[in-house]
Amino acid sequence: MSCLWMSLAGLVSAQELESPNGNLEMEFSLLENGTPTYTLTYKDKQVIKESKLGLDLKNDEADLFNSFSQADVETSTFDETWKPVWGEEKEIRNHYNEMAVTLTQEETGRKMIVRFRLFDEGLGFRYEFPQQKELGHFVIEDEKTQFAMSGDHTAFWIPGDYDTQEYDYTESRLSEIRERMASSITANISQTSFSPTGVQTSLMMKSENGLYINLHEAALIDYPAMHLDLDDEKMIFESWLTPDVNGDKAFMIAPTHTPWRTIMVSDDAREILASRMIYNLNDPIAIEDPSWIKPMKYIGVWWEMITGKSSWHYTDDFSAVRLGETDYDSAKPNDTHGATTEHVKEYIDFAAEHGFDGVLVEGWNIGWEDWFGHSKDYVFDFVTPYPDFDLEEVRDYAKSKGVEMIMHHETSSSVRNYERHMDEAYQFMKDNGYNAVKSGYVGDMLPRGENHYSQWLVNHYQYAIEKAADFKIMVNAHEAVRPTGVARTYPNLIGNESARGTEYQAFGGSKPNHVTVLPFTRLQGGPMDYTPGIFEMDISTFSPDNDSHVNSTLANQLALYVTMYSPLQMAADLIENYKRFPDAFQFIKDVALDWDKSIYLEAEPGDYITVARKEKGSENWFIGNVNGETPRTSRINFDFLNKGQKYIATIYSDAKDAHYKTNPQAYEIKKVVVTNKSKLSKLSVPGGGYAISIIPAEK
Amino acid sequence: MSCLWMSLAGLVSAQELESPNGNLEMEFSLLENGTPTYTLTYKDKQVIKESKLGLDLKNDEADLFNSFSQADVETSTFDETWKPVWGEEKEIRNHYNEMAVTLTQEETGRKMIVRFRLFDEGLGFRYEFPQQKELGHFVIEDEKTQFAMSGDHTAFWIPGDYDTQEYDYTESRLSEIRERMASSITANISQTSFSPTGVQTSLMMKSENGLYINLHEAALIDYPAMHLDLDDEKMIFESWLTPDVNGDKAFMIAPTHTPWRTIMVSDDAREILASRMIYNLNDPIAIEDPSWIKPMKYIGVWWEMITGKSSWHYTDDFSAVRLGETDYDSAKPNDTHGATTEHVKEYIDFAAEHGFDGVLVEGWNIGWEDWFGHSKDYVFDFVTPYPDFDLEEVRDYAKSKGVEMIMHHETSSSVRNYERHMDEAYQFMKDNGYNAVKSGYVGDMLPRGENHYSQWLVNHYQYAIEKAADFKIMVNAHEAVRPTGVARTYPNLIGNESARGTEYQAFGGSKPNHVTVLPFTRLQGGPMDYTPGIFEMDISTFSPDNDSHVNSTLANQLALYVTMYSPLQMAADLIENYKRFPDAFQFIKDVALDWDKSIYLEAEPGDYITVARKEKGSENWFIGNVNGETPRTSRINFDFLNKGQKYIATIYSDAKDAHYKTNPQAYEIKKVVVTNKSKLSKLSVPGGGYAISIIPAEK
């Protein structure tokens, strides 16, 4: 393989690079016409066939994808270990070999660097545009980065879309994407697809020769999010950037660079999950003292609105609201408003009783009567509570109970309005003791014509994160662009949605194996506020008009607290449902949020994931197993435990007759003693799983 | 005439209204299909023939322009006198008869009110949408307000454009607009025309039967600016709203209303100039204590950049700037940067010596190297001075001299960026003793795809004004939407450009009669920062590469301080040019900024304007006369002066052989004694005029 390029006609130069362990090898070459290309192999198996690199510029005869000659190559090695503020490990090693290829265009005098970083788990590369007279401002019309696949892989994909990531994954051959696209595009409030073979990153694939390949990006800052468009004859993916309102992709000012394009690869699926390559490609932390950033376990006034049991809005009197003019005080309250002072106090009581850090309240502020669907500009002010929500009283009550309130900022995608109110809204939070905000971007964008993942909006989400950091506020942004490891630099970004979350279990249900895919895809870029912990799968028991079914067993729901890593974990179900299952609820109370170490024990995308994690600063371990559609016996051993130490393992697992559809609440809880010699065989039913807490029995 | 409607077929109802003095009469009727219409007469002459009213809604079968029936008519009379914070008079009478016609659509149940206010000088009307279940959010696709002209009038028009108002006026028959459109559209940095018969308001016309008619709008708030598109066969103008990026016009939420559509009419052109109807149609002042709002006379580091003598930018090193990253400290300064500490101190010295209130400095802050033309987002931060401008030193020096510094915020139309920095920028101003800001919106808009006069931007300009009021900051916004009397409500809007200002005299020149049109058009909505006072008409004398000529005599330049009313008046020329003409400069030093009374003595659009104004709180008077292309002898008397009082009149006038092109600096200054019996005959040459200061000779 390493000689293949020698036989290619027209090759005028070539550069090789190996990963630190030698398993990965990449080559950079220029075609005869000066187009840059690269290839990637893993243990001598082809991962990326010859693939072109470059960019189309707007209104510019001299594009940046051919006529290059190679001016310089610099190689180097980097090896550091850094400590994340929160994460799956207390330390992360960042080890790669780097090759920076400086390219020049003789005609234009322009210079571009392609920088490759080859890790043991994969390759990252980006385009860099140094300061130069010949290239100041430029507009990217298209990024033409190719990822040429070596075969018709099996892929776990969601439809490419400029406005939503909230799709179920389709598992298919690459060649089947086209025929399965239409059925994969399910309805959403705001959605814009662009190609019958367009898919989103992070894209997870399996090759016939046993490779697990993942395509994504890292450090997406002030650039449009990248999709992938497949040439399904040649099996070549090409980058497809989210356009702005005029169809332009990115406005650039040199010196600058693109985000990293990433290719992770292994013959062991667990290594994909264990990789921290995406984080490593991001800049180190930019917050000097991050001591105020803390993982949180929380409950909230949310699932009751999602399921239709109660409402965000306060009154049915108004067909439209003009903030500051509409008179709420004389409006007739409806009977369904969730965020009332009394009701929130019940949540605070429950949180205090069961050791939760926080309580989220949605629908607390005026404006929800016409909150989306109207392209409304001044939709919320983020500081004015409804008449039946006494913010001061709630604040003081929560404080007296040792519980933190979590703020909610639904923007309805009116981002100018959000930016206008952001300072005041953040200050209002701090003045009232709120340290974390869940923000939302439901509906079509304002500025109108922009999309959720265009440069304009990527810039906005980052602005919101950085400004929040100034106020020492943690951000959990929903419907924002999928994360790409930016939380390394700004760890106050403690969560994102940016995928199909638990809410869809109340909107018709998600595929039962959804949670066996997400860690391979969406979670590569950062944690997800997936909001697990649903105990009542038949929603109609408490919300009669909603016949949606949660496609998961109760044990699977517990396992998610371990398998879906996040420093922010919600117990999403209603208090009344937790009260019915206090023994199972105990796991949610016990499970840790932050970790010293994570060991992926078993993993196969779409089928199962089993992970063991050691609680940060403690000897407690927690294990989670989630299972797809096929019943399966998980077989693990406990050799990661301390030698000679006895532990009490509490195993929350599916009952034998459990099934996500027909018998989801059938679970068993067993307490056993385990040591590092112990082994476990455990059946996980369809849509099932298990969760284990492991506590040292004695010193 | 008042019986004409009786003969119209299909008329199902009609309502009449008279102006307080009975000169104007209007009628409202519904056509048989339920379309509202109106007519207007002045002293029994037809001003507006039967014209339709209504709106097209987007995605809505039930539009708001037919199928109406009349549910109610309310008439009333209003008469108040209010005191403006600054203005041409110390008191303004607001006197009108009002008719509010409530219309309902049976099919939809929708309700709309057309409210007419008939003043002695004209008619204002608007559409109102009361709170109702049947109409909450709606999108205006087109406003279909007609203004049916009674003949092929002579019009003073500029091309309709979504992005600029900076055109010379074309004087032509309405029927000639189409053929003269192309030559009337001169180049501009940002411009978007839309129709070969599309023109802007305020539109000034003269009818063959001796009427002066003006079409404009008042109280443009959160709605797109209105243009007029002419059906040049039927001579019917129809409203043409500035669209947003998707072609939509306005996003509305009931209860709400449109701006007022205004038709001023008189058989005496002076009455158009004397009318305060536009202000009267705006809401009363919204600022509780406006004592901090003060007229200002100022000089500034500006004309030298406009003419090319010096530069806004500091260095020629950079083809592009990244604020916060580009290293200015190690950049090589060019030799042309205007805003240096030393140079600004010269301006401060001159201002102090000659009694100016303020000094404006442009190009003081980093970023000007690539300030427009690149659709740049983060173009300025509004707080970081160039290395050669010591803001603190300048601030302290100005303070020690009793001179106020005027801030400059060029936004380059990157309005998101401006809004992001606005709080900090305004606070920075206050921290450094700046109480007034000149803001600019050069170049194409960001958000991209929006235009300068779309609803999004109209909303922004208003946001900037209201936020400035919170900081007690006065605003002079250039390239913003033309004013529509909003300064009654927010008198901290002390100026706008929004027309072709003096700068064009350095960009090739303006028509010599331009200033005889502007008071009839642009100034109807509010004051203009026209920046008069140019003494050196041959710009090449100090900026050798610029061969532009200022098409005005020096005496005309002096007259502008009186004829172009503004509470903000610049002496725009270079200090060196003022030093050459100290006797003429004396008028600029003497002339008042705020007035008790204004008397329009002579007026004909395109030909001449002569106005006398009494200084506020003083017995001093100032007179200005500006003349168009034709030499003319102005004949005025001084009967407005106090009986029996002797005054010293200093007359600054064109020399006999003066001419705007060939001999612009030929002026004469004479001092004479005048009383209220005095008369004056004075020749004004082409592009000429005269200015007079009248000071009581004794008590």
Side-chain angles (χ1 to χ4, degrees), chain B residues 112-184:
Chain B
M112 178 172 88
I113 296 167
V114 187
R115 188 177 301 276
F116 298 93
R117 288 185 180 165
L118 197 49
F119 300 79
D120 287 341
E121 321 104 86
L123 172 66
F125 63 88
R126 71 179 185 188
Y127 303 96
E128 299 181 354
F129 313 95
Q131 182 142 4
Q132 54 194 297
K133 286 233 159 125
E134 296 75 13
L135 196 65
H137 292 267
F138 59 104
V139 181
I140 296 177
E141 190 168 298
D142 274 310
E143 184 186 318
K144 301 176 76 69
T145 305
Q146 292 186 340
F147 306 87
M149 298 293 103
S150 61
D152 186 11
H153 303 328
T154 295
F156 301 85
W157 57 273
I158 56 174
D161 200 294
Y162 300 154
D163 285 300
T164 187
Q165 295 140 157
E166 298 178 357
Y167 292 118
D168 253 325
Y169 284 90
T170 297
E171 179 180 348
S172 81
R173 293 282 184 161
L174 297 179
S175 59
E176 295 167 335
I177 290 177
R178 183 181 295 274
E179 71 197 61
R180 299 190 58 177
M181 181 58 71
S183 61
S184 298

Side-chain angles (χ1 to χ4, degrees), chain A residues 109 128 132 152-153 195 200 208 264 289 330 365 380 388 416 421 431 486 501 537 588 591 636 686:
Chain A
E128 299 181 352
Q132 54 195 298
D152 187 10
H153 303 327
S195 161
Q200 303 201 30
E208 283 196 340
M264 283 188 278
D289 173 11
S330 64
N365 56 328
F380 291 112
D388 59 350
R416 173 172 74 174
H421 290 84
D431 291 346
V486 171
M537 313 302 166
I588 299 180
V591 68
I636 60 172

Side-chain angles (χ1 to χ4, degrees), chain B residues 642-653:
Chain B
N642 291 339
K643 269 189 195 172
Q645 170 77 53
K646 284 185 181 170
Y647 298 80
I648 307 296
T650 310
I651 304 171
Y652 306 74
S653 60

